[in-house]
Amino acid sequence: LHLSLRRQRQMCIRDRSSTLRLPSSVQGGDHELSATFDGTGGVGAASARGTFSITPQATVLTAAVKPTMAAPGALLNVNGTVTLSHRHPVTDSQVAIWLGNDGDAALTTPTDPHGNFQATIQVPLDVSNGPFTITVKLVDSRYGTSQKTLTIQVKASTPTPTPVSYTHLTLPTKA
């Protein structure tokens, strides 16, 4: 019996039972599986196809940003961890960081062997005073959607007024 996934042969079963182990690269979603039997010992050849679904694994994403109050152009440190629901780290994945309500993707950053991620981002120079959102999201179809929205306060620095000194002037009088 030959089993194929995505038209690539995965295994050949020679005994009465066996387990098909899928490669870790197989992503969540629907997949087609086909089986063919070449025939032997008076039993004719046969084949069958079917579909199966893999549910993406649930994840937990934690994230923090420092500082929580910044001026336009300031650098922010965003860090956190991505784990599976049973606290095993999500490694070799990407986390995307979006800035503001418009969702401009600032960057993606990898998770390390412990599921940690870290990035430094800049507050846009044209952002207004007030709340500013940063959304952090796991970008890996092997796992369920996991995201966290953080908020900082943007406050433009007020320029310090320059003291002006006035000198008493005496104007010449007419003669």
Side-chain angles (χ1 to χ4, degrees), residues 70 72 123-132 153-156:
V123 177
L125 294 171
D126 61 350
V127 71
S128 302
N129 285 345
F132 181 73
Q153 289 297 319
V154 174
K155 184 172 181 177

Side-chain angles (χ1 to χ4, degrees), residues 34-52:
S34 62
T36 57
F37 178 67
D38 296 333
T40 185
V43 178
S47 65
R49 289 181 178 220
T51 58
F52 66 96

Side-chain angles (χ1 to χ4, degrees), residues 99-111:
L99 301 179
N101 295 328
D102 298 335
D104 292 334
L107 58 89
T108 59
T109 187
T111 57

Side-chain angles (χ1 to χ4, degrees), residues 75-159:
L75 296 178
L76 304 173
N77 183 38
V78 178
N79 61 51
T81 304
V82 185
T83 59
L84 297 173
S85 57
H86 47 56
R87 297 185 186 225
H88 287 268
V90 172
T91 61
D92 299 324
S93 288
Q94 293 289 317
V95 173
I97 300 173
W98 282 277
L99 301 179
N101 295 328
D102 298 335
D104 292 334
L107 58 89
T108 59
T109 187
T111 57
D112 69 15
H114 304 287
N116 299 318
F117 62 89
Q118 188 279 326
T120 301
I121 58 173
Q122 184 177 26
V123 177
L125 294 171
D126 61 350
V127 71
S128 302
N129 285 345
F132 181 73
T133 60
I134 300 161
T135 303
V136 182
K137 183 177 181 180
L138 177 65
V139 184
D140 191 327
S141 62
R142 295 176 295 174
Y143 304 103
T145 301
S146 188
Q147 74 178 43
K148 174 118 178 159
T149 300
L150 309 166
T151 303
I152 66 161
Q153 289 297 319
V154 174
K155 184 172 181 177
S157 57
T158 308

Side-chain angles (χ1 to χ4, degrees), residues 1-3 9 11-15 34-38 46-47:
L1 180 65
H2 301 281
L3 294 175
R9 183 177 284 186
M11 68 183 317
C12 181
I13 300 173
R14 299 194 191 287
D15 55 12
S34 62
T36 57
F37 178 67
D38 296 333
S47 65

